[in-house]
Amino acid sequence: MAFDGRLLAGVSVLAAAVEGGSFVRAADALGLSASGVSRAIARLEARLGVRLFDRTTRSLKLTDAGARFYREVGPLLEGIDDAAGTASGSAAVVRGRLRINVDPFFARLMLAPRLAELSRRYPELELELLTRDGIGDLVAEVIDLALRFGTPPGVSPVARLLLKTRILTVASPAYLKRHGTPKAPADLASHACIQFRDPLTGRPFPWEFHRKRKIINVDISGPFVMTDVGTMLEACVSGAGIAQVMEFGAMDYLYRGRLVELFPDWPDETFPLYVFHPSRHHVPAKVRAFIDFCSEMIK
């Protein structure tokens, strides 16, 4: 297919419609009429020979073919914008809206306290944070990147490991005073343990203990199953039971003596944090900048 300016213009209209979520908002962003946006999309669909959107009176959603096309051309448009900024004298153009699907616990504990610093560093960057449990479809939902704990699914967007945090087994001093301190992982069978539900499987995470190459599994039970890490931490601090938590989220509680690590001689279980983005090609400057910022933040 030969390139011409009309194709690029149609792709630009497509991007505005996807980002705006409607032809009306795309028209406002581009200075066109809604009917002009509709005609531009129709011409692009005719040129490509596929339907790009499923349209109803209330919603606008990319078709599967439209999502595939947008996945390929979206980063190219960002690259054009970056190149224009570079040509005008700005070697690192970090601007525009960045939509991020982020783990709620990471957002609250790590990201929120650093947002002012991010804004000072990149004053032309607009950040939209969507705190969700699942990664979803980054392309269909027009998400630039996602931050998630846990092993990436078998079929996934581009994944980059940001950190591995240790898994600790902890309890409050009040709980240990009432119920005694377990001396070994096997002793947990007689204690109330707070379980955490895996959002991918819908089942509570199994409790494992790692020491070098040795791994043991322990069957535990208790009256509470949680789906929010912050709630689990606070319940554990209050004395509701023993919990397994990520070290980076529990350090303040441990430092202040509100939680006690039970089995420091089993130190080798870890849990990863990954950043996902739709494509490894033509990664926009704003995405690269945010990933680098997160890497700095967690060192």
Side-chain angles (χ1 to χ4, degrees):
M1 180 183 297
F3 172 82
D4 62 39
R6 289 173 297 177
L7 178 60
L8 179 58
V11 171
S12 298
V13 173
L14 167 69
V18 171
E19 293 171 6
S22 75
F23 285 178
V24 172
R25 284 193 285 270
D28 289 341
L30 297 171
L32 301 172
S33 66
S35 61
V37 169
S38 181
R39 288 194 298 271
I41 294 297
R43 286 194 297 268
L44 182 60
E45 289 177 325
R47 181 72 180 275
L48 298 174
V50 298
R51 191 176 78 258
L52 297 172
F53 288 105
D54 285 324
R55 309 170 181 81
T56 70
T57 56
R58 295 186 178 181
S59 68
L60 183 71
K61 183 180 179 181
L62 284 169
T63 63
D64 289 343
R68 287 193 298 271
F69 181 68
Y70 184 72
R71 184 185 300 119
E72 295 297 326
V73 301
L76 297 175
L77 290 176
E78 295 278 5
I80 292 172
D81 188 55
D82 291 350
T86 301
S88 65
S90 176
V93 181
V94 179
R95 63 180 177 219
R97 185 176 64 169
L98 189 64
R99 300 188 78 221
I100 304 171
N101 177 342
V102 59
D103 175 86
F105 186 60
F106 182 83
R108 182 170 65 251
L109 185 71
M110 299 292 289
L111 189 55
R114 304 290 294 274
L115 288 179
E117 178 184 346
L118 180 69
S119 185
R120 286 192 297 270
R121 187 181 300 188
Y122 304 115
E124 296 184 66
L125 183 66
E126 300 173 12
L127 205 64
E128 182 177 354
L129 293 180
L130 309 172
T131 51
R132 299 177 180 175
D133 291 328
I135 187 172
D137 188 328
L138 301 187
V139 174
E141 298 181 61
V142 201
I143 305 296
D144 294 294
L145 53 87
L147 288 160
R148 279 289 169 275
F149 286 102
T151 304
V155 178
S156 69
V158 179
R160 171 179 166 183
L161 178 66
L162 287 182
L163 68 80
K164 288 184 178 180
T165 183
R166 289 176 60 223
I167 297 298
L168 309 180
T169 306
V170 297
S172 70
Y175 176 91
L176 298 176
K177 183 177 181 180
R178 289 196 305 270
H179 301 283
T181 301
K183 303 302 182 184
D187 297 340
L188 293 172
S190 60
H191 284 267
C193 296
I194 304 172
Q195 300 178 75
F196 190 79
R197 191 180 303 280
D198 184 344
L200 294 178
T201 66
R203 298 186 297 271
F205 278 104
W207 282 35
E208 297 180 351
F209 295 86
H210 296 221
R211 183 164 59 201
K212 296 183 179 178
R213 294 186 178 182
K214 185 176 182 179
I215 300 174
I216 61 173
N217 292 274
V218 176
D219 291 329
I220 53 92
S221 62
F224 304 112
V225 178
M226 307 285 182
T227 61
D228 176 74
V229 177
T231 302
M232 181 177 66
L233 272 169
E234 292 299 331
C236 187
V237 168
S238 75
I242 296 173
Q244 285 199 328
V245 301
M246 293 180 287
E247 181 181 36
F248 94 94
M251 289 305 298
D252 185 57
Y253 295 97
L254 293 164
Y255 177 77
R256 291 187 288 157
R258 300 184 69 192
L259 289 176
V260 177
E261 183 182 0
L262 296 181
F263 308 115
D265 55 334
W266 290 87
D268 296 327
E269 183 182 5
T270 62
F271 203 59
L273 173 69
Y274 282 90
V275 60
F276 301 90
H277 52 95
S279 173
R280 69 177 72 254
H281 304 294
H282 311 289
V283 179
K286 62 184 180 182
V287 172
R288 296 195 304 269
F290 185 81
I291 293 174
D292 290 343
F293 181 80
C294 287
S295 297
E296 294 174 17
M297 179 171 57
I298 60 183
K299 286 180 179 177

